Amino acid sequence: MSESPNYAHKLEKYGAPTRQQKRTCTPIASKCGENSSPFFLARSIAIAMGIRFIVMVMICSAMIINSLFNQEAPISLKENYCGPCPENWICYRNNCYQFFNESKDWYESQASCMSQNSSLLKIYSREDQDFFKLVKSFHWLGLVQIPTNGSWQWEDGSILSPNQLTLVEMQNGTCAVYGSSFKAYTENCLNPNTYICMQRIV
């Protein structure tokens, strides 16, 4: 049985919902929001988590890149420190070196180094001074023979040890030149040779 227009009008007048009004709902109605609200909330959480994930990835990437560019060897500061050397000197593993191409006898070479607050080359350790194995020409060493007992000592008074250099007797002389591969050769102190000055930084 169909509803009459008058009956529908009376229902509207007294606040009873009609068929059209039953189909529509306002956003305030709790029953209407029950179906859409969980989806909206889940989507909002997913978007927020996605943005947070992207930000975290960017921060982590920046930290990794920064650590790669500023990476330091895991050794102590003392071992890594190579202090201030004179201008144009070579700094290598706590030592300063200067190669002089002018030829002088041993005494003149020693005096030249002393005037620059340094000494003639001394080999302390093959490991710490490993780049000298590549040197090919002859240079004066701060090494002299003691006439009284025939032993060889450095300028600082320490005795030559076998693990520093291999000493090869080439001619009569109480001085020594450095050749290559940690070999020293006896030499007349008055012969002219190039020389290497050294400053040890400790």
Side-chain angles (χ1 to χ4, degrees), residues 30-77:
S30 60
K31 289 187 178 180
C32 282
E34 284 179 358
N35 295 330
S36 60
S37 183
F39 175 75
F40 177 78
L41 182 62
R43 188 174 63 176
S44 300
I45 293 173
I47 291 172
M49 290 181 69
I51 292 172
R52 183 180 177 185
F53 176 75
I54 292 171
V55 171
M56 292 296 292
V57 168
M58 291 174 65
I59 291 172
C60 290
S61 300
M63 290 174 66
I64 291 170
I65 292 170
N66 186 51
S67 65
L68 288 175
F69 279 103
N70 297 314
Q71 192 173 22
E72 294 183 359
I75 55 177
S76 69
L77 181 64

Side-chain angles (χ1 to χ4, degrees), residues 144-153 159:
V144 292
Q145 188 178 34
I146 305 303
T148 54
N149 57 15
S151 65
W152 289 82
Q153 72 176 28
I159 302 298

Side-chain angles (χ1 to χ4, degrees), residues 169-186:
E169 292 190 16
M170 295 292 290
Q171 59 175 293
N172 292 330
T174 57
C175 293
V177 290
Y178 180 83
S180 62
S181 301
F182 297 102
K183 290 183 179 179
Y185 302 89
T186 58

Side-chain angles (χ1 to χ4, degrees), residues 37 60 89 97 122 201:
S37 183
C60 290
W89 284 49
Y97 303 96
K122 175 182 178 179
I201 303 171

